[in-house]
Amino acid sequence: MARKTGILVLASVLLASIASICDSAAIFNPISDAHRSAASELFSLSDGSFGSLEETYEALRTFVVLGIEKEPVIRTSVCASVAETLSSPSSALKDLFQALRVNGILKCEINDKAFAEIAFRLKDSVNAANLLLDFYHSIGGLMLIKDQTSEVDVHLGDADRIFRSIKALSQSDGRWRYSSNNPESSTYAAGIALETVAGLISLASSEIDHSLVATIKNDIMKLFDGVERYDDGACYFDEKFVDAHGHQDPLSASSSVVRGITAFATATEESLNLPGDKIMGLAKFFLGVEIPGSAKDLYHQIDALACLGNSRVSVPLILSLPATVLSVSRKDQLKVRVNTVLGSSAPPLSVKLMQIFSSGSKDASVIDQELKFDPDHAVHVLETLPKNIDVGKYIFSFEISLQDPEHKKRYITGGRTKVPIYITGLIEVNNAEIAVLDSDIGSIEMQKKLDLSGENDVALLANHLQKLRLSFQLTTPSGKAFKPHQQAFLKLRHESGVEHIFVVGDSGKKFEIILDFLGLVEKFFYLSGKYDIQLTVGDFVMENSFLRSLGHVELDLPDAPEKAARPPPQLVDSYSRYGPKAEIIHIFRSPEKRPPRELSLAFLGFVLLPFIGFFAGLLYLRVNLKNLPRSTVPATFAFLFHLGIASVLLLYALFWFKLDLFTTLKALGILGIFLMFVGHRTLSHLASVSAKLKSA
Amino acid sequence: MGRSTPSKDAQALFHSLHSAYAATPTNLKIIDLYILFAVFTAVIQVVYMAIVGSFPFNSFLSGVLSCVGTAVLAVCLRIQVNKENKEFKDLPPERAFADFVLCNLVLHLVIMNFLG
């Protein structure tokens, strides 16, 4: 129990200190296998399909980006559904678009005639459209047909007019409206609009007016001006518009914008000159989501990262560390990995360690050391840590420089990357000793050396006029005094289970605690006797944190005065609290003393004796039944009268054995009426007979 | 008269009592016999209680009170049936018997309830 408490204290202190360090620096890891397994889990097949065509597209797109092979399983059923949607003349525009999107990935066998019919329909709806989503679905559909077959003519003739009607929906801040009737503007719609415009540019049969394209570029710049920023450098597009589809989270909005600008940059084949730190911030935002909880969010994240990963805009390079906790005693090497957002390898580059910020102090030591590239593992290694690095927490600042000047245009490195690093090591414990001092002069009464790396079992004696002193030194691997964050505790535990915990103070050079028992008697509840001593020293950078029993001290404290506080009742052990309760023993009344069986039976016989005597007496008196009526009707009544009395007595016997009072009273009421009737008939007959005799 | 031994006196007393009682009507004698039967039964139960203790006390009370109660009712019946009692001259014995039966049934209903 005591050991468990100590470990808990250690663990909570470690957590608290780790939480405090994570401020400005943060690590963003590229897409990894964790995302792949999450994708397989989130996009799970129910009844052999992913649900609607839209959900199927999102699942397939995510799988394609992550490189998961799942197509053959669902290919047949999805293709059937795609073919059905595409051949049906009543399919909605949105369904056609989704079916074409799915077909773009699965490449089902759809004949060119069907494509031509759909293209005809889509062209019609482009010309008739005035809602943003209608433009998006029809132009997107035509784009997909263009990619899937070369036989069908998908070019749009009146591109400038369509362009203007789409542009009419844009707002001054770079966002867009879904329809001209709706004044609310949306960032998600901006992404959709950019994609639509990009589609329109590639579908236009003649060149689009340059000034129109320039206005769209201007819109994109305005959109990027409104980007939101987190402290860790992540950027995102906020979505204030709430519509019926529920597209209101920053993830889907940012994803939509990234898709839009990528499509636009691809279509125009021009440089957009977007600020590199914002693109990097967007990449950090999508990576910072880590693994989303819903399939939709995962699609938005992965699709946006895929756009960023092979974007024509610029490809962000992400610096990540396999391990941010390095042990100086194990001589761990600092390794840095540079990847694109999707985890693929980066172009040749060099990584420099520029600065090291020590926790707690603002000043940084400038290092400017280049890391050595290990081509086998694709990591950059810092072989030896700088000399002045001791155990503790640091923030390392890295800089990526690309070797090929061509790459500098394509890739963005995001300037200096700050990464929190924890350096751990074995802490040496020296000069540990425990002593009992005389209070007045401070002379040493008893002193013991301790070896805190092993077990100790000291036995000390002290009274309330003495002091207990415990001291030890902590040294880091580089020989400096180590100062854990107030994580040295001394625990005294009385035999009765009363515990007292003291914090061991740090005097700069060594740790020391002096317990003056005179001032502590009240705190100790005047409990004399054996106290176990336990020492806990721990820190999150100390690899050999320990919780050791040092032995015991026999305390001789004065007797408690009457008003002294009683020791608190000991907390119930949590194991026994939830464990089985003590068995409840029921105390029953002891049974009454019973007479011997024979005696009771004998008295039963005795009770019958007067009854026999009664019959004997009746015989002696020559009693007879001659007075019973002779004629049939009175005789019957007399018989019924006796029968009635017998049945009432029988009812009483039943009442005694099993019936309750209410049942008995009901039956008795009926029997009583019967008895009254027959009794009256019988007795009145007898009375009339005797009256006749008298008168005669 | 003169001096006579107490036993003789007692004998003479008993004899006169017996002869006087012999003149009692048979139906009264039956009631007397019934009263004796009830009283003796009660006495035996009291003796039993004195020997082994009063553990099922309500059962004991039920038993004794049943006997005593029925004896008292029988005494009442005897008073009403006796032709010597001018007070009840107009009351037919059948009516008295009906009362006796009714009271006994009520008494024993209570006794059975109390018996436990």
XYZ file of all heavy atoms in Angstrom, chain B residues 42-115:
573
model
N -59.238 -27.433 33.369
C -58.478 -26.203 33.638
C -57.436 -26.461 34.708
O -56.281 -26.024 34.593
C -59.430 -25.089 34.053
N -57.824 -27.197 35.738
C -56.893 -27.460 36.849
C -55.684 -28.248 36.344
O -54.535 -27.939 36.689
C -57.626 -28.202 37.987
C -56.636 -28.762 39.002
C -58.584 -27.266 38.694
N -55.936 -29.245 35.513
C -54.820 -30.043 35.003
C -53.851 -29.164 34.213
O -52.637 -29.260 34.333
C -55.352 -31.208 34.130
C -56.044 -32.234 35.030
C -54.227 -31.876 33.350
C -56.818 -33.279 34.279
N -54.416 -28.235 33.434
C -53.524 -27.339 32.650
C -52.711 -26.447 33.568
O -51.535 -26.170 33.312
C -54.362 -26.496 31.690
C -54.945 -27.331 30.570
C -55.765 -26.474 29.616
O -55.259 -25.558 29.028
N -57.032 -26.803 29.494
N -53.347 -25.968 34.651
C -52.610 -25.121 35.603
C -51.476 -25.917 36.229
O -50.344 -25.416 36.382
C -53.574 -24.546 36.655
C -52.793 -23.858 37.756
C -54.525 -23.564 36.005
N -51.760 -27.181 36.559
C -50.727 -28.028 37.164
C -49.562 -28.215 36.180
O -48.385 -28.090 36.540
C -51.325 -29.396 37.572
C -50.224 -30.385 37.958
C -52.284 -29.217 38.724
N -49.932 -28.449 34.929
C -48.905 -28.617 33.899
C -48.042 -27.355 33.816
O -46.805 -27.414 33.768
C -49.582 -28.896 32.557
C -48.628 -28.958 31.390
C -47.810 -30.086 31.208
C -48.540 -27.915 30.471
C -46.937 -30.144 30.139
C -47.667 -27.975 29.396
C -46.875 -29.101 29.233
O -46.006 -29.151 28.184
N -48.710 -26.206 33.839
C -47.969 -24.943 33.778
C -47.047 -24.815 34.975
O -45.900 -24.375 34.847
C -48.964 -23.783 33.726
C -48.382 -22.442 33.330
S -47.729 -21.530 34.718
C -49.203 -21.016 35.552
N -47.530 -25.231 36.168
C -46.716 -25.125 37.383
C -45.491 -26.028 37.277
O -44.409 -25.684 37.772
C -47.555 -25.501 38.604
N -45.618 -27.155 36.589
C -44.484 -28.083 36.491
C -43.476 -27.615 35.445
O -42.290 -27.485 35.721
C -44.988 -29.509 36.157
C -45.809 -30.057 37.334
C -43.813 -30.453 35.890
C -46.510 -31.362 37.051
N -43.916 -27.311 34.208
C -42.958 -27.082 33.124
C -42.777 -25.603 32.791
O -41.929 -25.266 31.987
C -43.341 -27.840 31.835
C -43.449 -29.318 32.105
C -44.634 -27.283 31.265
N -43.509 -24.712 33.350
C -43.341 -23.291 33.024
C -44.369 -22.849 32.006
O -45.024 -23.667 31.352
N -44.434 -21.523 31.847
C -45.545 -20.953 31.069
C -45.118 -20.612 29.655
O -45.559 -19.616 29.109
C -46.051 -19.708 31.778
O -45.024 -18.745 31.784
N -44.219 -21.435 29.032
C -43.631 -20.954 27.771
C -44.641 -20.542 26.704
O -44.709 -19.354 26.407
C -42.581 -21.895 27.203
C -42.385 -21.664 25.720
C -42.126 -20.381 25.231
C -42.497 -22.685 24.815
C -41.986 -20.145 23.888
C -42.354 -22.451 23.466
C -42.099 -21.182 23.005
N -45.458 -21.431 26.147
C -46.398 -20.802 25.193
C -47.533 -20.215 26.010
O -48.559 -20.866 26.225
C -46.836 -21.958 24.290
C -46.239 -23.205 24.858
C -45.682 -22.892 26.209
N -47.257 -18.992 26.486
C -48.154 -18.451 27.507
C -49.546 -18.218 26.959
O -50.540 -18.468 27.639
C -47.554 -17.145 28.036
C -48.238 -16.646 29.269
C -48.274 -17.432 30.426
C -48.852 -15.412 29.301
C -48.910 -16.982 31.573
C -49.482 -14.954 30.447
C -49.512 -15.743 31.584
N -49.621 -17.737 25.709
C -50.957 -17.485 25.160
C -51.726 -18.790 24.945
O -52.939 -18.838 25.119
C -50.904 -16.632 23.900
C -49.935 -17.169 22.887
O -49.102 -18.022 23.223
N -50.028 -16.683 21.671
N -51.003 -19.858 24.647
C -51.677 -21.143 24.501
C -52.234 -21.609 25.857
O -53.368 -22.088 25.951
C -50.695 -22.208 23.993
O -50.193 -21.814 22.763
N -51.392 -21.405 26.873
C -51.858 -21.775 28.217
C -53.096 -20.978 28.595
O -54.113 -21.532 29.028
C -50.723 -21.528 29.230
C -51.173 -21.437 30.633
C -51.599 -22.584 31.324
C -51.195 -20.221 31.308
C -52.015 -22.482 32.625
C -51.627 -20.133 32.607
C -52.031 -21.270 33.280
N -52.993 -19.658 28.370
C -54.135 -18.811 28.724
C -55.378 -19.230 27.933
O -56.482 -19.308 28.482
C -53.812 -17.352 28.414
C -52.969 -16.616 29.441
C -52.802 -15.164 29.028
C -53.604 -16.693 30.816
N -55.188 -19.505 26.657
C -56.320 -19.916 25.824
C -56.967 -21.167 26.398
O -58.196 -21.229 26.543
C -55.852 -20.221 24.393
O -55.138 -19.170 23.885
N -56.110 -22.149 26.719
C -56.647 -23.412 27.234
C -57.432 -23.203 28.527
O -58.592 -23.630 28.651
N -56.813 -22.476 29.467
C -57.464 -22.294 30.780
C -58.721 -21.447 30.633
O -59.785 -21.789 31.161
C -56.456 -21.654 31.761
C -57.172 -21.269 33.040
C -55.342 -22.622 32.052
N -58.593 -20.354 29.868
C -59.750 -19.461 29.750
C -60.892 -20.133 28.991
O -62.067 -19.863 29.268
C -59.355 -18.159 29.054
C -58.437 -17.260 29.875
C -58.117 -15.985 29.122
C -59.096 -16.917 31.217
N -60.529 -20.988 28.024
C -61.568 -21.737 27.331
C -62.367 -22.580 28.337
O -63.609 -22.562 28.341
C -60.918 -22.628 26.275
O -61.770 -23.676 25.904
N -61.650 -23.264 29.222
C -62.321 -24.121 30.212
C -63.125 -23.289 31.202
O -64.298 -23.559 31.464
C -61.290 -24.947 30.975
S -60.447 -26.102 29.909
N -62.469 -22.256 31.743
C -63.141 -21.428 32.743
C -64.350 -20.734 32.130
O -65.437 -20.705 32.712
C -62.140 -20.416 33.352
C -62.860 -19.428 34.256
C -61.062 -21.143 34.114
N -64.137 -20.197 30.934
C -65.211 -19.474 30.262
C -66.413 -20.374 30.019
O -67.554 -19.989 30.316
N -66.140 -21.558 29.499
C -67.279 -22.452 29.210
C -67.952 -22.900 30.508
O -69.170 -23.064 30.547
C -66.797 -23.616 28.327
O -67.909 -24.246 27.752
C -66.026 -24.648 29.077
N -67.127 -23.006 31.594
C -67.712 -23.362 32.881
C -68.635 -22.256 33.364
O -69.761 -22.514 33.827
C -66.605 -23.625 33.894
N -68.172 -21.020 33.219
C -68.996 -19.890 33.657
C -70.291 -19.846 32.843
O -71.382 -19.646 33.386
C -68.198 -18.575 33.499
C -69.109 -17.373 33.688
C -67.065 -18.529 34.497
N -70.165 -20.040 31.529
C -71.360 -20.040 30.686
C -72.313 -21.162 31.103
O -73.539 -20.978 31.115
C -70.965 -20.210 29.221
C -70.238 -19.012 28.612
C -69.807 -19.327 27.186
C -71.123 -17.780 28.613
N -71.718 -22.312 31.460
C -72.545 -23.432 31.899
C -73.267 -23.087 33.211
O -74.434 -23.448 33.402
C -71.673 -24.685 32.069
N -72.566 -22.383 34.082
C -73.202 -21.956 35.340
C -74.383 -21.049 35.028
O -75.484 -21.205 35.584
C -72.157 -21.243 36.234
C -72.869 -20.526 37.390
C -71.151 -22.229 36.767
N -74.152 -20.115 34.107
C -75.239 -19.214 33.719
C -76.425 -20.008 33.164
O -77.595 -19.726 33.492
C -74.756 -18.222 32.674
S -73.471 -17.149 33.262
N -76.086 -20.998 32.334
C -77.151 -21.828 31.765
C -77.934 -22.524 32.870
O -79.170 -22.569 32.858
C -76.508 -22.866 30.818
C -77.461 -23.878 30.191
C -78.424 -23.183 29.226
C -76.700 -24.970 29.465
N -77.138 -23.027 33.865
C -77.778 -23.751 34.971
C -78.735 -22.835 35.736
O -79.845 -23.228 36.092
C -76.687 -24.266 35.921
C -77.196 -25.311 36.916
C -76.079 -25.692 37.864
N -76.469 -26.844 38.688
C -77.248 -26.728 39.735
N -77.740 -25.584 40.082
N -77.540 -27.831 40.436
N -78.288 -21.606 35.934
C -79.141 -20.648 36.667
C -80.449 -20.435 35.906
O -81.527 -20.408 36.484
C -78.391 -19.311 36.846
C -77.209 -19.480 37.782
C -79.323 -18.236 37.393
C -76.275 -18.284 37.831
N -80.340 -20.323 34.593
C -81.533 -20.012 33.814
C -82.457 -21.210 33.657
O -83.675 -21.063 33.546
C -81.126 -19.497 32.434
C -80.436 -18.149 32.507
C -80.014 -17.656 31.147
O -80.713 -17.863 30.174
N -78.870 -17.016 31.113
N -81.836 -22.382 33.621
C -82.644 -23.585 33.392
C -83.349 -24.025 34.682
O -84.431 -24.609 34.641
C -81.751 -24.702 32.818
C -82.440 -26.047 32.818
C -81.317 -24.324 31.404
N -82.711 -23.692 35.854
C -83.252 -24.172 37.135
C -84.654 -23.625 37.377
O -84.898 -22.430 37.343
C -82.292 -23.700 38.257
C -82.541 -24.482 39.531
O -83.546 -25.174 39.660
N -81.613 -24.358 40.452
N -85.570 -24.577 37.630
C -86.967 -24.149 37.793
C -87.206 -23.479 39.135
O -88.185 -22.774 39.324
C -87.873 -25.386 37.669
C -87.867 -25.943 36.270
C -89.150 -26.655 35.943
C -89.266 -27.002 34.488
N -88.079 -27.717 33.986
N -86.274 -23.703 40.072
C -86.402 -23.071 41.389
C -86.261 -21.555 41.296
O -86.756 -20.830 42.127
C -85.292 -23.609 42.333
C -85.221 -25.106 42.410
C -86.352 -25.706 43.237
O -86.518 -25.225 44.362
O -87.028 -26.615 42.713
N -85.465 -21.143 40.299
C -85.238 -19.699 40.167
C -86.457 -19.040 39.547
O -86.705 -19.146 38.360
C -84.013 -19.423 39.289
C -82.707 -19.722 40.005
O -82.693 -19.757 41.246
N -81.658 -19.972 39.254
N -87.202 -18.326 40.399
C -88.435 -17.710 39.925
C -88.148 -16.585 38.936
O -88.988 -16.200 38.136
C -89.237 -17.152 41.130
C -89.615 -18.191 42.141
C -90.529 -19.255 41.523
C -90.808 -20.364 42.535
N -91.002 -21.657 41.862
N -86.968 -16.049 39.108
C -86.573 -14.909 38.266
C -86.676 -15.240 36.771
O -87.021 -14.403 35.960
C -85.123 -14.549 38.607
C -84.779 -13.096 38.357
C -83.352 -12.806 38.793
O -82.877 -13.476 39.766
O -82.704 -11.965 38.172
N -86.286 -16.491 36.431
C -86.255 -16.884 35.017
C -87.414 -17.807 34.661
O -87.318 -18.641 33.795
C -84.919 -17.584 34.699
C -83.717 -16.678 34.910
C -82.879 -16.855 35.993
C -83.460 -15.626 34.024
C -81.790 -16.033 36.192
C -82.368 -14.812 34.232
C -81.527 -14.993 35.309
N -88.503 -17.633 35.375
C -89.641 -18.539 35.180
C -90.193 -18.457 33.775
O -90.528 -19.467 33.164
C -90.761 -18.200 36.190
C -91.550 -19.401 36.618
C -92.574 -19.015 37.665
C -93.719 -18.217 37.010
N -94.808 -17.937 38.027
N -90.199 -17.241 33.266
C -90.805 -17.050 31.944
C -89.870 -17.403 30.794
O -90.256 -17.381 29.641
C -91.247 -15.587 31.774
C -92.304 -15.220 32.808
O -92.996 -16.165 33.249
O -92.384 -14.044 33.171
N -88.616 -17.701 31.142
C -87.629 -17.959 30.080
C -87.596 -19.445 29.760
O -87.288 -20.262 30.620
C -86.240 -17.512 30.558
C -85.192 -17.382 29.465
C -85.317 -16.061 28.734
C -83.806 -17.526 30.065
N -87.933 -19.810 28.573
C -87.911 -21.245 28.257
C -86.452 -21.766 28.248
O -85.522 -21.035 27.879
C -88.500 -21.318 26.846
C -88.499 -19.952 26.300
C -88.371 -19.006 27.427
N -86.218 -22.989 28.676
C -84.852 -23.562 28.725
C -84.220 -23.636 27.331
O -83.008 -23.530 27.199
C -85.050 -24.945 29.314
C -86.495 -25.248 29.180
C -87.225 -23.958 29.203
N -85.069 -23.791 26.309
C -84.517 -23.847 24.946
C -83.831 -22.530 24.569
O -82.769 -22.510 23.968
C -85.633 -24.149 23.934
C -86.129 -25.566 23.950
C -87.090 -25.824 25.116
O -87.558 -24.830 25.719
O -87.339 -26.986 25.420
N -84.472 -21.464 24.957
C -83.885 -20.131 24.708
C -82.547 -19.999 25.435
O -81.551 -19.524 24.871
C -84.906 -19.066 25.172
C -84.376 -17.708 25.438
C -84.063 -16.962 24.125
N -83.037 -15.925 24.369
C -83.297 -14.766 24.960
N -84.544 -14.454 25.321
N -82.321 -13.889 25.151
N -82.503 -20.460 26.699
C -81.263 -20.406 27.484
C -80.175 -21.236 26.818
O -79.001 -20.825 26.744
C -81.526 -20.923 28.892
N -80.583 -22.390 26.282
C -79.595 -23.245 25.617
C -79.051 -22.568 24.347
O -77.845 -22.619 24.076
C -80.229 -24.611 25.290
C -79.253 -25.549 24.638
C -78.188 -26.080 25.380
C -79.353 -25.893 23.303
C -77.298 -26.929 24.796
C -78.441 -26.741 22.708
C -77.412 -27.270 23.470
N -79.959 -21.913 23.651
C -79.527 -21.205 22.438
C -78.505 -20.132 22.798
O -77.460 -19.981 22.132
C -80.720 -20.595 21.724
N -78.744 -19.396 23.882
C -77.780 -18.389 24.338
C -76.438 -19.046 24.649
O -75.370 -18.533 24.287
C -78.300 -17.690 25.601
C -79.438 -16.717 25.296
O -79.655 -16.480 24.079
O -80.061 -16.236 26.236
N -76.551 -20.185 25.359
C -75.335 -20.893 25.754
C -74.500 -21.270 24.518
O -73.288 -21.064 24.475
C -75.739 -22.138 26.562
C -74.590 -23.046 26.907
C -73.643 -22.687 27.872
C -74.455 -24.286 26.273
C -72.588 -23.535 28.170
C -73.395 -25.122 26.579
C -72.459 -24.749 27.532
N -75.172 -21.839 23.528
C -74.456 -22.252 22.300
C -73.823 -21.035 21.619
O -72.634 -21.037 21.270
C -75.426 -22.983 21.341
C -74.759 -23.182 19.977
C -75.831 -24.319 21.920
N -74.591 -19.974 21.500
C -74.077 -18.777 20.827
C -72.853 -18.212 21.557
O -71.814 -17.919 20.955
C -75.186 -17.722 20.737
C -74.766 -16.414 20.044
C -74.502 -16.670 18.577
C -75.819 -15.343 20.221
N -72.989 -18.088 22.891
C -71.870 -17.525 23.659
C -70.636 -18.412 23.548
O -69.496 -17.910 23.429
C -72.266 -17.385 25.132
S -73.454 -16.093 25.368
N -70.837 -19.720 23.562
C -69.710 -20.639 23.429
C -69.007 -20.465 22.088
O -67.768 -20.460 22.034
C -70.202 -22.082 23.562
C -69.768 -22.666 24.901
O -68.629 -22.463 25.313
N -70.668 -23.359 25.576
N -69.792 -20.298 21.036
C -69.180 -20.150 19.710
C -68.365 -18.860 19.635
O -67.253 -18.849 19.126
C -70.252 -20.174 18.620
C -70.926 -21.541 18.403
C -71.973 -21.437 17.303
C -69.889 -22.580 18.030
N -68.924 -17.768 20.185
C -68.186 -16.491 20.179
C -66.921 -16.627 21.028
O -65.810 -16.224 20.618
C -69.089 -15.356 20.680
C -68.286 -14.073 20.837
C -70.237 -15.144 19.734
N -67.075 -17.231 22.209
C -65.928 -17.395 23.098
C -64.810 -18.164 22.404
O -63.649 -17.761 22.424
C -66.362 -18.140 24.375
C -65.203 -18.582 25.277
C -64.591 -17.369 25.973
C -65.663 -19.588 26.321
N -65.193 -19.244 21.728
C -64.151 -20.072 21.129
C -63.549 -19.457 19.871
O -62.396 -19.742 19.545
C -64.664 -21.492 20.878
C -64.613 -22.293 22.143
N -65.682 -22.379 23.024
C -63.596 -22.976 22.704
C -65.320 -23.095 24.057
N -64.049 -23.487 23.903
N -64.310 -18.576 19.231
C -63.695 -17.842 18.114
C -62.531 -16.988 18.639
O -61.424 -16.980 18.087
C -64.740 -16.948 17.430
C -64.186 -16.063 16.309
C -63.722 -16.908 15.137
C -65.209 -15.049 15.840
N -62.801 -16.308 19.756
C -61.749 -15.477 20.365
C -60.597 -16.358 20.843
O -59.409 -16.040 20.629
C -62.343 -14.653 21.524
C -61.267 -13.843 22.199
C -63.438 -13.758 21.014
N -60.938 -17.480 21.469
C -59.902 -18.387 21.995
C -58.994 -18.869 20.845
O -57.767 -18.859 20.956
C -60.556 -19.595 22.695
C -61.282 -19.149 23.959
C -59.542 -20.695 22.996
C -60.371 -18.666 25.053
N -59.637 -19.249 19.738
C -58.859 -19.772 18.601
C -57.937 -18.683 18.036
O -56.812 -18.954 17.637
C -59.798 -20.242 17.482
C -60.408 -21.575 17.786
S -59.118 -22.827 17.878
C -60.045 -24.218 18.446
N -58.453 -17.459 18.030
C -57.639 -16.351 17.527
C -56.451 -16.110 18.442
O -55.358 -15.756 17.988
C -58.516 -15.104 17.433
C -57.846 -14.020 16.601
O -57.024 -14.326 15.750
N -58.194 -12.784 16.859
N -56.676 -16.308 19.724
C -55.647 -16.020 20.714
C -54.648 -17.157 20.833
O -53.526 -16.974 21.311
C -56.354 -15.754 22.058
C -55.451 -15.213 23.112
C -54.731 -14.029 22.896
C -55.298 -15.857 24.334
C -53.904 -13.531 23.876
C -54.460 -15.358 25.317
C -53.766 -14.183 25.093
N -55.042 -18.337 20.361
C -54.241 -19.537 20.570
C -52.855 -19.421 19.918
O -51.860 -19.879 20.448
C -54.998 -20.728 19.977
C -54.528 -22.125 20.348
C -54.546 -22.299 21.859
C -55.431 -23.154 19.711
